[in-house]
Amino acid sequence: EAQVTQNPRYLITVTGKKLTVTCSQNMNHEYMSWYRQDPGLGLRQIYYSMNVEVTDKGDVPEGYKVSRKEKRNFPLILESPSPNQTSLYFCASSHNRGGGQPQHFGDGTRLSIL
Amino acid sequence: GENVEQHPSTLSVQEGDSAVIKCTYSDSASNYFPWYKQELGKGPQLIIDIRSNVGEKKDQRIAVTLNKTAKHFSLHITETQPEDSAVYFCAAPDANAGGTSYGKLTFGQGTILTVHP
C-alpha cells in the first residue's frame, strides 16, 4: 500500500530536549515536505526537499532542521524545542515538481512542548 | 512569495444543498491549484485539482473553477452529504521567475464544512 508514515504520532516533551520526527514514504517520490498546522493558520510549509541532498526553506523554517540522505526518508529535527513549536505536523511526498503535483500526506504527529 | 486567501472559514449547509469555497492567490505565474479534504485525525487528501490551461474540472459531485484573470479558484460541492463534513484546504505553488521551481506550496487557512442531515 502506498503510504507516508510518520513517527511518533503523539509526543509530549519539555523545552530544550532535542527530538526527531521521522517520515518515510514507499512511493519512490523525489519530493518531500514538512508542514505544521495551527488553528486559523492552515498548513504552513517548514522545509521541503526536491531530491536526495537537496533541501530548502519553506515559510516557517526557524527552529527546525531537516536532512535528506535517502530518497524514502525525510526526518524533521527540533534541536531545542520551545512551546511555540507545539503543533500538528504533517509530512508529504510527491513526484518531482512537488508544489505542482498532488501531494500524499501522512496522518500527522501531534507535538506538545511544555 | 505566494499569498493564498480562503473563504469562508466555516460553512454550514443542509444535506442536499450545494457548498462553495473560494480562494484567491497572488502569484500570476502559478499554474496548479489543488483542493484537499482533511477528516478528523487524518492527513489532508487530494480531492480535485486544476491546471491553468482549463477553466473548469468536474468529478462527480465535486467541481473546481479557475479564473486566472481575477486570480481566484473555487470548489463546488453539489448534493452535499454528511460524509462531506471535513476541513477543506486550497493551495497554490510559488512559481519562481523561471516558472520551474514549484518547491514551495502555500495553503489557504482552511474551511470547516458541516453538512447537517
Side-chain angles (χ1 to χ4, degrees), chain A residues 89-108:
Chain A
Y89 291 85
F90 288 99
C91 179
S93 73
S94 73
H95 286 295
N96 56 359
R97 298 183 71 188
Q101 295 290 337
Q103 299 206 9
H104 300 257
F105 284 82
D107 281 337

Side-chain angles (χ1 to χ4, degrees), chain B residues 21-72:
Chain B
I21 304 170
K22 182 177 176 178
C23 285
T24 60
Y25 62 97
S26 61
D27 188 345
S28 57
S30 291
N31 66 2
Y32 174 71
F33 306 95
W35 284 94
Y36 289 86
K37 176 183 181 181
Q38 185 182 22
E39 297 177 337
L40 201 61
K42 297 284 190 180
Q45 187 171 18
L46 181 80
I47 55 171
I48 195 166
D49 56 11
I50 191 168
R51 297 193 184 273
S52 59
N53 56 346
V54 297
E56 183 176 4
K57 183 177 178 181
K58 286 183 180 178
D59 183 3
Q60 299 182 340
R61 297 185 297 107
I62 294 173
V64 54
T65 58
L66 172 64
N67 184 326
K68 285 220 75 178
T69 302
K71 289 191 281 188
H72 67 72

